[in-house]
Amino acid sequence: MARTAGPRRVTARRDALGDGPGPGGPGQSRRGGAGGDASGAGWWPRAPAAVEPRRRPGPRPAGSGGRRGGPGPGMPGPSPGGSPEREAGAGGRPRGPGGGRRVRFRLPHTAIAVPSVREEERLFYRRLEALAAPGPGGFGPLFAADGWSDLTEDRLLRKRVVRDGQGGPRPRPGQEVSVKVLGALEDGGLVERDPRLTFVPGHGDVVQALELGVPTMQPGEVSFFLAAFPYGYGRPGREPDVPPEAPLLFEVTLLEVRDGPDPQPLPPAARLRLGSQRRERGNFHFARGDFAAALRSYRLALRALDGPAAAPPGPQEEEELREQRVKCLNNCAAAELKLERAAEALAACEAALRISPDNGRALLRRGQLLAQQGRDAEAALDLRRALELDPASKVIHAELSRLVKRRSPPARADPQEPRQGPTPPPSPGAPAPPAPKGEA
């Protein structure tokens, strides 16, 4: 006779299913609401309470229930039809939904995953709650609050020390630092979390809040940095988690300061990757209007591409290195123009054309710069060559037309036409000539 398999049991604690942190991260309840009090007030997500992880089930002793046995001791048997049962409350009446009932399903045994609790995040949110009272103004009141020091003249980047450092020297220019970073939006959403971020201040690899703030710290120090959007991710923000023009609050711990690494010989593939990363970082700054930071990143990209090589590049890698250099030099010229440094921009164009004489962008920009200096003949040569490379370019056509009009002499009268002398006075008794139209 076939043996009928009994139902497997899944038991869940209410704090795991009801009030623990939900899938949206700290402060997001599994019931769908934000953490905090029942009214929904409060900026910061409520730090989740610690929940003991469930133990992995071990071997079942005989008679403890399961597929081969009946229900375990103290557990009711399956109800007719296999539907879940409700435990009876006082007076024998079934309790309402969620009233401490115990549910059994005809499913394989499943352990409910409980999100792990990160102690540093809980401390971070506690500090934020102590720092600022909830309110509709977001971070606005903190930009005028006492207890902060201003790192910039516009008062849009501020610092507040949470824990003093160990008394060591602050980072010097060119030194490499390692920091632990947590960053939050005004609604408490955590958008930055890096347990060990390593960078060289001034190289443009991180947001301006960290570029300018970390050099003011000592090893072991913990500080808040309150940054308006120009010192964060700019006017556009960062998709998908940082909205446009969003202020940020960073908690930074300075872990280590050391001398900057000497340039090491790198294989061609590593030089290409590092150069591309720094050039893209420069484009990030350029798009946000920080042209000085963009120029630093482009120059660092060139340094990586021209650095010592661990092995000679192959033909394809050599071509890629040459293309990357030309791109960085063209971008340097664009940034120099935005900074109103025409001579430096012209030098960058000439360096690009020494590598690639037929680069259309460098030819066009050099032609424009030469025309601004009044060197029209040289400018015309560059613009005509750029037009041969890209005949459909409206920009090149417009530049050439402007240059031709400026160089053309003013129109002169046709020498074949007889010149009209002064009109002789009328003889006495002759009729007067007719008056011109429009005159009385």
Side-chain angles (χ1 to χ4, degrees):
M1 179 175 179
R3 182 174 297 174
T4 303
R8 304 296 298 272
R9 294 192 302 275
V10 179
T11 58
R13 294 170 50 177
R14 285 191 62 196
D15 55 0
L17 281 176
D19 297 327
Q28 183 66 30
S29 170
R30 288 183 179 269
R31 294 176 180 171
D37 57 20
S39 64
W43 267 356
W44 316 112
R46 182 177 57 193
V51 179
E52 245 182 62
R54 293 176 58 89
R55 295 174 179 255
R56 187 181 298 276
R60 294 174 178 267
S64 62
R67 191 173 296 276
R68 292 185 174 273
M75 291 287 292
S79 59
S83 60
E85 290 184 345
R86 296 182 182 178
E87 292 182 328
R93 299 181 61 183
R95 297 177 179 174
R101 61 183 179 178
R102 191 172 290 160
V103 182
R104 296 180 298 159
F105 303 91
R106 291 184 178 274
L107 295 171
H109 180 80
T110 303
I112 298 173
V114 178
S116 60
V117 178
R118 296 172 176 149
E119 183 64 22
E120 65 270 19
E121 290 184 17
R122 292 204 303 158
L123 293 174
F124 175 60
Y125 283 119
R126 286 177 185 172
R127 287 172 182 147
L128 289 181
E129 290 171 354
L131 180 67
F139 289 151
L142 296 182
F143 283 100
D146 296 331
W148 295 78
S149 58
D150 294 310
L151 301 185
T152 57
E153 293 182 359
D154 54 14
R155 302 193 68 186
L156 297 180
L157 179 61
R158 313 195 76 196
K159 174 184 176 182
R160 183 186 181 101
V161 177
V162 176
R163 186 183 70 204
D164 290 329
Q166 301 161 357
R170 293 181 172 87
R172 298 189 303 273
Q175 287 190 311
E176 189 177 66
V177 298
S178 293
V179 297
K180 181 172 72 174
V181 182
L182 292 169
L185 297 170
E186 288 181 303
D187 62 1
L190 199 64
V191 294
E192 297 287 353
R193 185 181 185 277
D194 197 323
R196 191 174 185 88
L197 174 65
T198 300
F199 64 98
V200 178
H203 279 197
D205 294 327
V206 293
V207 296
Q208 288 294 294
L210 301 182
E211 289 270 8
L212 301 176
V214 171
T216 68
M217 302 177 68
Q218 294 179 329
E221 179 183 320
V222 181
S223 287
F224 280 131
F225 293 101
L226 179 65
F229 70 86
Y231 298 96
Y233 286 98
R235 198 172 297 278
R238 182 188 68 185
E239 294 184 354
D241 53 350
V242 180
E245 300 185 10
L248 294 167
L249 195 145
F250 297 95
E251 183 187 79
V252 181
T253 305
L254 182 54
L255 303 174
E256 186 179 0
V257 180
R258 55 191 172 275
D259 290 335
D262 295 329
Q264 298 294 325
L266 296 174
R271 290 162 59 196
L272 284 166
R273 182 172 60 253
L274 184 58
S276 179
Q277 288 174 352
R278 290 179 174 176
R279 181 172 57 83
E280 290 297 330
R281 187 68 187 178
N283 293 345
F284 175 87
H285 292 306
F286 194 97
R288 282 152 178 76
D290 192 348
F291 305 116
L295 186 59
R296 284 196 301 270
S297 294
Y298 296 143
R299 288 174 175 170
L300 288 168
L302 284 169
R303 191 184 304 176
L305 295 170
D306 295 332
Q316 183 177 355
E317 291 171 330
E318 183 62 43
E319 179 64 24
E320 291 180 7
L321 285 168
R322 186 161 48 247
E323 291 177 0
Q324 290 281 353
R325 290 189 188 101
V326 172
K327 287 180 180 179
C328 289
L329 287 167
N330 277 330
N331 290 357
C332 283
E336 296 281 16
L337 281 175
K338 291 291 186 180
L339 296 170
E340 300 181 355
R341 299 199 293 232
E344 289 82 355
L346 182 59
C349 292
E350 290 174 344
L353 289 170
R354 282 194 294 270
I355 300 172
S356 178
D358 285 338
N359 183 266
R361 180 174 296 182
L363 284 167
L364 170 60
R365 190 168 283 129
R366 187 173 73 171
Q368 292 170 324
L369 289 167
L370 291 173
Q372 290 175 9
Q373 296 179 5
R375 299 159 65 179
D376 293 352
E378 298 171 78
L381 288 175
D382 280 349
L383 293 173
R384 288 193 181 102
R385 180 56 183 154
L387 189 62
E388 291 175 5
L389 297 169
D390 187 6
S393 173
K394 296 181 179 180
V395 176
I396 302 175
H397 277 288
E399 290 292 335
L400 267 175
S401 299
R402 189 180 301 115
L403 187 62
V404 168
K405 288 179 181 178
R406 192 170 70 183
R407 296 181 67 194
S408 299
R412 299 176 62 180
D414 190 349
Q416 300 298 329
E417 295 181 3
R419 295 187 178 181
Q420 295 181 355
T423 305
S427 58
K437 291 182 179 181
E439 292 183 12

